[in-house]
Amino acid sequence: GWKDAISTTIINFNNEKMQVTWAARELFPSENVSFSYTFDEGKHKVWKPCPTYLLDQHYNSGCLFKTEGPTLAISIRNSNGSEELFFKRLKSDFYIKPNRPENVTFLWKEDTVTVSCNKPERAVKCLKLELQYKSKFDKDWQSRTSKCCSVGEQGFDPRKCYSFRVRLKRLVPYCNVVNYSSDWEAETFWMNGTLLDSCDDGIKSQSNTVIVLSCLLAVLLMIFILLILLCKWQRLQKSVMPAIPDPKYIFADLFNDHNGNLQEWMDKTDHAMVQTKLEYEDPECITEAESQQEDEKNSDEQGPQEKILSFSKATENNDPKAAQIACLMPRSNTIASFAGFQIVMNDDMYVML
C-alpha cells in the first residue's frame, strides 16, 4: 500500500504532453530512481523509458513525454530497475491543463466590457473563460467566469484605468479530477476603450494635460499684464513728452495743393493777408514829444488804472490816437498765425515757427 501513498503530480498539457513529477529528495533520499510509462492496455504492454528527465540537485525528480492515448500507466523503479517503488494507472484526459486563450479581443461599450477568444479545437464544453480586472484604486482582483469563449462585465468607470487578464479553466469534477487552469494571458491596460501600455500612462497623460493648461493660462496672463503695462506706458509717455504736431495736417492745402511751396501758397492767399493787414494797419506815428505831452495830460486827468483801461478800449475801438501810441511799441514781423504756428518774414524770407 505504500506504493500508492507516494505523492506525484500529473499534468497533461492540452492533451499534447505529459509531465509526471515526484519529491525525489524526500521520497527516495538514498538513490536515483528510474521512470517508465505505457499507453497500451491488456497483457501486451510496451513500457517505454523516460525520454526527458527533470532534475532536482542532480536527482531524477520528474519525466516529460508525449501524450499518446487516454489511458496511462506509470512505474517508478530503483536505479538498476530490479525493484518497483511506485505504480499507478490513470485517465490522462482527467489531468488536462488547457493552453492560454488565443486571439483575445476586448470590446468596451459605455460601462460594459466584453472579452472573447478563439474556441479550442478539443473539449470546448469542458472549458470556461475567466476574466479578472482591477483599477488603480483596487487592491484585489475582481473575477468573472463564463462559458467558453466570451465573458462580459458591467460597471466600468470610463475615467479609470483598468488592468485585465484572462485564462481558460477546466471544469471539475466533470472533466478533470484536478482543478487545472491555463496560464494567464498577458496583462493589458484599458481606459475608456483605449489600450494603454500601463495605467501609469493614463496618469501621466492627465498630468501632462494639467501642465499644458497651466502653462497656457500663465502665458495668457503674462500677455494680459504686458498689454496693461504698455497702455499705461503710452499714457505716461504722452503726459511727459507730448507729441509734436505735424504741420502737414495743419496746413493741408499747403502740402497737398502746393507740395510745401510756401511762396506759391502765400501768393495764392495774398488777398486774405492783405485784408488782414489793412484791418490792423498802424496809423502814422506821432513824434515822441507829442506822445509825452499827451501822456502828461492824460496823467493829470486820470489815474494809472484809467490810462490802461482807456488805452485798451481805444485800441479795441480803433481809436487813431491809441493806435498812434501803440505804434511806439516794438513791431513784430509776424505776418500770420495758424494753430500755434507763426509765419514770420525776416530779410525777405518767410520762416515758419
Side-chain angles (χ1 to χ4, degrees), residues 60-297:
N60 295 335
S61 62
C63 181
L64 186 64
F65 53 95
K66 184 179 179 181
T67 303
E68 299 175 2
T71 302
L72 172 66
I74 59 177
S75 175
I76 298 176
R77 293 177 176 269
N78 58 5
S79 58
N80 57 16
S82 60
E83 181 184 0
E84 188 176 62
L85 304 176
F86 176 74
F87 174 82
K88 187 173 183 178
R89 185 182 289 109
L90 53 95
K91 290 290 186 180
S92 62
D93 292 344
F94 287 169
Y95 295 85
I96 293 179
K97 179 178 181 179
N99 289 338
R100 292 179 178 179
E102 297 179 352
N103 294 332
V104 179
T105 58
F106 285 80
L107 177 60
W108 188 309
K109 187 176 181 181
E110 296 180 353
D111 66 336
T112 302
V113 174
T114 303
V115 183
S116 59
C117 66
N118 290 349
K119 289 184 179 181
E121 296 179 356
R122 301 175 183 174
V124 177
K125 294 181 179 180
C126 290
L127 296 174
K128 283 191 174 183
L129 183 63
E130 181 182 8
L131 169 67
Q132 288 191 348
Y133 59 91
K134 66 177 181 179
S135 69
K136 295 293 290 183
F137 305 98
D138 299 328
K139 294 182 180 180
D140 301 324
W141 289 94
Q142 307 295 321
S143 183
R144 172 74 172 171
T145 305
S146 180
K147 64 180 183 179
C148 188
C149 292
S150 179
V151 58
E153 184 63 32
Q154 296 179 341
F156 290 96
D157 189 344
R159 297 170 297 180
K160 294 181 181 180
C161 178
Y162 291 89
S163 304
F164 293 93
R165 63 182 185 180
V166 292
R167 66 179 178 180
L168 290 172
K169 296 185 67 175
R170 185 85 171 176
L171 294 178
V172 177
Y174 306 103
C175 300
N176 262 33
V177 295
V178 182
N179 188 11
Y180 282 148
S181 301
S182 70
D183 295 333
W184 291 104
E185 181 63 15
E187 187 176 347
T188 56
F189 307 92
W190 293 80
M191 182 176 181
N192 195 20
T194 302
L195 179 63
L196 305 176
D197 293 335
S198 67
C199 283
D200 295 335
D201 294 345
I203 297 174
K204 289 180 181 179
S205 61
Q206 292 178 358
S207 61
N208 291 337
T209 303
V210 173
I211 293 173
V212 171
L213 291 177
S214 300
C215 294
L216 183 61
L217 290 176
V219 171
L220 293 176
L221 181 60
M222 291 180 63
I223 294 175
F224 181 71
I225 294 175
L226 289 176
L227 290 176
I228 294 177
L229 293 177
L230 181 62
C231 293
K232 289 187 176 182
W233 169 251
Q234 290 179 349
R235 291 181 181 179
L236 179 63
Q237 191 176 20
K238 288 181 179 180
S239 61
V240 175
M241 295 179 294
I244 300 174
D246 192 348
K248 180 179 179 180
Y249 301 102
I250 299 175
F251 300 100
D253 55 345
L254 172 62
F255 292 96
N256 295 335
D257 301 338
H258 305 282
N259 294 326
N261 191 333
L262 184 60
Q263 183 62 47
E264 182 181 341
W265 177 72
M266 292 293 295
D267 293 342
K268 188 173 182 180
T269 57
D270 183 61
H271 64 282
M273 301 296 296
V274 171
Q275 182 178 358
T276 304
K277 191 172 182 181
L278 290 175
E279 290 179 357
Y280 296 95
E281 184 176 5
D282 296 336
E284 288 188 11
C285 295
I286 60 177
T287 62
E288 183 177 357
E290 291 176 349
S291 64
Q292 289 180 357
Q293 292 176 1
E294 189 68 25
D295 289 341
E296 289 178 359
K297 292 180 180 181

